Amino acid sequence: QKEVEQNSGPLSVPEGAIASLNCTYSDRGSQSFFWYRQYSGKSPELIMFIYSNGDKEDGRFTAQLNKASQYVSLLIRDSQPSDSATYLCAVNKGGSQGNLIFGKGTKLSVKP
Amino acid sequence: EAGVAQSPRYKIIEKRQSVAFWCNPISGHATLYWYQQILGQGPKLLIQFQNNGVVDDSQLPKDRFSAERLKGVDSTLKIQPAKLEDSAVYLCASSLDLTAAGLPQYFGPGTRLTVL
């Protein structure tokens, strides 16, 4: 089983819709969960992080965490063409000091 | 606040040559990471420093890769000799400090290495 799994996509949504990106992880000792956005040819940019079960909102972005199901998601409301990018889910390695395990990313395409 | 700085941005070398990458983290960040990102994959951790000490280098191919952070600020990653499979983007990231839970990491622009 892969440590951090994401659907590679592409996920295509129309402008103004809600984009839902999902991630599952295998390490029950993981304590922190991060979403990064990566435009083609650019480096990852931190969007959200979440430590506790439930929802965390920041502007148009909501991160959702369910540790029992080992599942974390990112919702993007009112999607814009500028949100088109690859979204990387990263999970800290249990027992480590901050080491992150990244998924392969989900490519999101927002159509005007 | 200035972000993570890296140089060079691009490098093309032939196999068996050596190459070095430089990184300067966000001011005040004690923890520095080097990642390798192959096209279509997520970043993979190579080495993690806390100040000038190595915390984790378990995934660093030590027969050809080396890294140092002598004064606890900037860092250098070296590959010698390079192989074709080392073609990737090398990313440097930093975080404020070390915690068991993990703090947000901020990435530099990366160095795109092509080995011919």
Side-chain angles (χ1 to χ4, degrees), chain B residues 68-85:
Chain B
E68 60 184 17
R69 193 185 184 199
L70 294 177
K71 296 183 179 179
V73 180
D74 58 347
S75 174
T76 302
L77 176 70
K78 295 179 181 178
I79 308 175
Q80 183 180 9
K83 292 185 175 181
L84 296 177
E85 59 260 36

Side-chain angles (χ1 to χ4, degrees), chain B residues 21 28-29 34 37 43-44 53 61 67 69-70 72 77 81-82 84 99 109-111:
Chain B
F21 313 125
H29 279 199
W34 283 103
Q37 186 175 24
K44 184 185 87 169
R69 193 185 184 199
L70 294 177
L77 176 70
L84 296 177
T99 66
T111 297

Side-chain angles (χ1 to χ4, degrees), chain B residues 3-89:
Chain B
V4 177
Q6 288 189 249
S7 67
R9 294 295 308 279
Y10 305 91
K11 191 74 177 179
I12 300 174
I13 61 173
E14 296 197 347
K15 60 182 179 182
R16 291 188 290 273
Q17 285 188 323
S18 62
V19 64
F21 313 125
W22 175 83
C23 171
N24 194 42
I26 293 172
S27 178
H29 279 199
T31 315
L32 185 148
Y33 310 80
W34 283 103
Y35 289 87
Q36 180 192 60
Q37 186 175 24
I38 293 172
L39 189 65
Q41 305 286 322
K44 184 185 87 169
L45 180 70
L46 293 174
I47 189 167
Q48 177 188 9
F49 290 95
Q50 175 69 359
N51 296 312
N52 62 351
V54 175
V55 176
D56 187 342
D57 62 358
S58 59
Q59 298 191 89
L60 187 73
K62 298 180 187 64
D63 58 334
R64 298 184 300 107
F65 287 64
S66 64
E68 60 184 17
R69 193 185 184 199
L70 294 177
K71 296 183 179 179
V73 180
D74 58 347
S75 174
T76 302
L77 176 70
K78 295 179 181 178
I79 308 175
Q80 183 180 9
K83 292 185 175 181
L84 296 177
E85 59 260 36
D86 298 332
S87 293
V89 176

Side-chain angles (χ1 to χ4, degrees), chain A residues 31-32 34 36 38 41-46 49 51 88 92-93 95-105, chain B residues 9 33 35 37 40-43 45 48 55-56 91 98-110 112:
Chain A
Q31 299 181 55
S32 54
F34 303 85
Y36 288 84
Q38 188 169 30
K42 301 295 186 182
S43 62
E45 174 193 7
L46 181 67
F49 57 92
Y51 295 108
L88 297 165
N92 92 299
K93 185 177 178 183
S96 74
Q97 297 188 68
N99 288 359
L100 296 183
I101 307 297
F102 282 82
K104 290 185 177 182
Chain B
R9 294 295 308 279
Y33 310 80
Y35 289 87
Q37 186 175 24
Q41 305 286 322
L45 180 70
Q48 177 188 9
V55 176
D56 187 342
L91 295 162
L98 275 183
T99 66
L103 293 176
Q105 297 181 21
Y106 300 91
F107 284 86
R112 184 176 300 275

